[in-house]
Amino acid sequence: MLFRSCQFSFTFSPTSTGTKTSSSSVSTNGGSFVIALRGVGAPAQLVASPTAFDFGPVAVGTTVSRTVTVRNVGLTPLTGWTGGGVAAPFGGGQNCVVAGGLLQNQTCSFIYSFTPSSAGAFTATTSVTTNGGSFSITLKGRGNAGLVVANPLGIDFGPVKVGGTATRSVTIRNAGIGPVTGWTGGGLVAPFGAGQNCNVAGGLEIGRAHV
């Protein structure tokens, strides 16, 4: 006796996450059977690292950047990105919103910067939401300006003959983080006089001294 075979093919194309079930009944003149079907719509799932940055001391007017790496460890593309923005002196950008979503095992980045415009401590927190979960990012940094150290702070010219001129110098050193700018004052009236070479383009740089 010759036995022939055939096949029923079934597919599973979930449009949402979770467990799905169904059954299919088949009848013939040779009997009937029921096929039970089960499948799981797998969600997208992300892993983000790191999620906290301390930019540390940053000179006023300069920029430091750090990167958060996001990986899709699920089976479904990561989509629906919202959030992630921050206010000055922090800044942010990302390359995660792509056509078709971020695929399984692919990575993308959120890039954050810190550009202090004044001295002091700054903090910020931002949250990112996707179809595969959410995460929060905490940022902090300190804006450091220049710090002048002047030496000496007193000058005694001693006896100087009438009509003569004596000159002494005060050394100004930048002991801070960031250029020293915005020089004002320092002038005198006769019989004293003054001049300086500190007010240079770009400011007095870190570790530099002028006399």
Side-chain angles (χ1 to χ4, degrees), residues 75-115:
L75 299 178
T76 299
L78 279 172
T79 59
W81 301 86
T82 60
V86 288
F90 299 99
Q94 51 88 6
N95 59 6
C96 294
V97 178
V98 293
L102 189 69
L103 303 181
Q104 181 184 13
N105 290 326
Q106 286 187 338
T107 62
C108 64
S109 300
F110 277 73
I111 302 171
Y112 290 94
S113 62
F114 177 50
T115 309

Side-chain angles (χ1 to χ4, degrees), residues 49-50 53 65-69 108-112:
S49 179
F53 289 123
S65 297
R66 298 287 186 270
T67 300
V68 178
T69 299
C108 64
S109 300
F110 277 73
I111 302 171
Y112 290 94

Side-chain angles (χ1 to χ4, degrees), residues 38-205:
R38 180 181 183 277
V40 177
Q45 184 177 356
L46 66 80
V47 173
S49 179
T51 55
F53 289 123
D54 184 352
F55 290 92
V58 177
V60 169
T62 61
T63 300
V64 176
S65 297
R66 298 287 186 270
T67 300
V68 178
T69 299
V70 181
R71 180 182 295 276
N72 182 1
V73 296
L75 299 178
T76 299
L78 279 172
T79 59
W81 301 86
T82 60
V86 288
F90 299 99
Q94 51 88 6
N95 59 6
C96 294
V97 178
V98 293
L102 189 69
L103 303 181
Q104 181 184 13
N105 290 326
Q106 286 187 338
T107 62
C108 64
S109 300
F110 277 73
I111 302 171
Y112 290 94
S113 62
F114 177 50
T115 309
S117 58
S118 61
F122 301 89
T123 61
T125 300
T126 184
S127 296
V128 178
T129 301
T130 75
N131 67 329
S134 60
F135 59 95
S136 295
I137 301 167
T138 301
L139 309 173
K140 67 178 181 178
R142 174 174 293 276
N144 275 22
L147 175 64
V148 293
V149 177
N151 185 53
L153 293 177
I155 298 174
D156 182 356
F157 288 96
V160 179
K161 71 178 182 178
V162 174
T165 299
T167 301
R168 301 288 187 272
S169 295
V170 174
T171 299
I172 311 297
R173 181 177 297 278
N174 182 359
I177 299 178
V180 175
T181 60
W183 299 85
T184 61
L188 292 166
V189 296
F192 296 96
Q196 53 93 357
N197 61 2
C198 296
N199 193 14
V200 295
L204 183 63
E205 296 178 358

Side-chain angles (χ1 to χ4, degrees), residues 5-33:
S5 64
C6 64
Q7 291 83 34
F8 276 72
S9 296
F10 296 92
T11 62
F12 178 55
S13 303
T15 58
S16 61
T17 61
T19 301
K20 318 293 181 182
T21 59
S22 187
S23 62
S24 178
S25 299
V26 179
S27 298
T28 74
N29 64 342
S32 62
F33 56 93

